[in-house]
Amino acid sequence: MGETFYRWFMSAPIIDSLPLPPHSPEAEHALLGALLANPESFHLIEPPLEPGDFYNYANRLIYQAIFSLASQGKPADVLTVSDLLREIGNEKETGGLEYLNRLTESYASAANLSEYARIVKDKALKRNLISKLAQLEAEVNSDRGASSEDLLDRVQSEFLKMGLGKNKDASSFESSGSILDGVIDEMRSIADSPTEIRGCESGIEQLDDVTRGFRPGQLVVIAARPGIGKTAFALQVARRTAVRQKKPVAIFALEMTKNEVLKRMLSSESEVEMESIDGAQMTDTQWSRIYQAQEVLSKAPIFVDSSSELTLMRIKTKLRQLAAQVGNIGLVVVDYLQLLEQEDENASADLRSIQIGVLSRGLKLLAKELNAPVLLLSQLNRQVENRPNHTPLLSDLRESGSIEQDADMVLLLYSKAKFGQEQGDSRTIYMDLAKHRNGRLEVFSTIFKGEIQRFEELNAWNQ
């Protein structure tokens, strides 16, 4: 009875009508046949494939055997693959030598290897997409599932990884030997070029010498009281990154319009005063410099978003979309942290501190996900103005100690001349590298030429 029902059930029309997951038997056969007939072509596969990209289980095992042999520098032809499959007990599952011989007879040309690989990878990505959507649907329909924002955030992150094919699962393990190979290679590279800046440069030579630039995955907090120049400094880093290093830069300007951001960059690039640019009253020479700066900045990969009421979720979405368009993002600027969330008059100080902590932690994780440095601007609280020497401390970071905890670097900008604490040029701004996860702490003296939105080293300026 049971066997009769099973045969009827398996032959019922509804089973026949169910679609199979996306796959291409022809492409899988042709690819494996080409590899078996031309073992030396394995390293020419583009895009690279993994065994899991194959839909057919036997094909998956065969590719795993080919991959294993090729990784050891051994030829992966019909005989060597057959021997390996027999040795590890997978001969029956793969059809043995007979199936391998049929594969070598089915391929058209090794010249089409990349096209076969592209088809296999495309089908694998589609199957992965279907699987992710099914998981999401199950969670959405579950009363015990995550919130809609958490689900949307997760699916965006997963789809970005799938689309770009560059990010591995963050939870996957890597052996110490493999990691150390990369570490030693990096150390040797630094030893060969000890003065080379490894990240986004600031234009302040002493600062860059200590930090070696702002590096991918780092959260760098730039904090100051209003009017000190933290936005100008961040835009200086952004301009140099895009213009000199040709890296895409994303700027979130919550306090200024897009036009104001680019006017500041025009002033810094052309060295024409902001007052002249705002009034558009300039000499022919100044107009010439403005046009030259326009040409430079227009070619630079600078992307500005001045949307109001930005949330962490919206920033993530926008950056993932931009990364899908331009590839790796070189730098992200968020100006500034306290404006990312609307003020809640009913929220307690403790709740506000927690909310700011969530934002700073989220931006640190985003820096790692995008493999780009994030410059996060932040206000200092008023306590620094009530202190006798007016020198800021890490504890002055407004509303949250989590900012200090999440940051890889914290740069505190302040002026002594503004409060009559010292004689000399009133434009002197100190940059206190108050936290540096991978290096020493130091204070740097700079000149802030506010009229052209540019920071310069004090020593260089005096020469």
Side-chain angles (χ1 to χ4, degrees), residues 173-187:
F173 290 102
E174 189 174 352
S175 70
S176 60
S178 174
I179 297 170
L180 284 171
D181 285 344
V183 170
I184 298 301
D185 286 345
E186 181 181 2
M187 291 171 61

Side-chain angles (χ1 to χ4, degrees), residues 198-256:
R198 303 284 163 175
C200 299
E201 58 186 42
S202 68
I204 307 300
E205 186 175 341
Q206 290 180 322
L207 173 62
D208 291 337
D209 283 344
V210 173
T211 65
R212 312 314 301 163
F214 304 132
R215 317 228 190 133
Q218 289 184 332
L219 177 64
V220 181
V221 174
I222 301 172
R225 291 295 296 156
I228 298 298
K230 60 181 180 293
T231 298
F233 177 68
L235 292 183
Q236 176 167 311
V237 177
R239 178 177 58 84
R240 294 177 70 91
T241 299
V243 172
R244 295 167 65 96
Q245 298 178 290
K246 311 297 183 186
K247 298 179 180 178
V249 172
I251 301 171
F252 292 96
L254 288 85
E255 201 172 30
M256 297 186 295

Side-chain angles (χ1 to χ4, degrees), residues 289-300:
R289 285 170 20 208
I290 286 292
Y291 290 138
Q292 291 175 7
Q294 177 193 14
E295 183 176 2
V296 170
L297 293 174
S298 295
K299 295 178 181 178

Side-chain angles (χ1 to χ4, degrees), residues 337-338 352-360 398-400 403:
L337 175 62
Q338 283 76 17
R352 180 63 179 170
S353 176
I354 292 173
Q355 292 171 339
I356 292 294
V358 169
L359 290 171
S360 65
R398 182 179 167 188
E399 294 172 316
S400 180
I403 305 173

Side-chain angles (χ1 to χ4, degrees), residues 207 210-211 213-215 218-225 230 233 337-338 360 364 374-381 391-398 400-414 430-444:
L207 173 62
V210 173
T211 65
F214 304 132
R215 317 228 190 133
Q218 289 184 332
L219 177 64
V220 181
V221 174
I222 301 172
R225 291 295 296 156
K230 60 181 180 293
F233 177 68
L337 175 62
Q338 283 76 17
S360 65
K364 169 58 183 176
V374 172
L375 294 192
L376 175 60
L377 277 59
S378 177
Q379 285 189 355
L380 295 173
N381 60 40
T391 301
L393 305 172
L394 284 173
S395 59
D396 294 322
L397 285 169
R398 182 179 167 188
S400 180
S402 297
I403 305 173
E404 174 190 349
Q405 176 182 316
D406 296 326
D408 295 280
M409 295 186 204
V410 177
L411 202 58
L412 305 176
L413 276 58
Y414 62 97
Y430 293 94
M431 293 185 176
D432 181 1
L433 187 56
K435 180 182 180 181
H436 186 195
R437 199 184 299 276
N438 297 317
R440 70 179 187 270
L441 308 180
E442 198 164 327
V443 179
F444 310 94

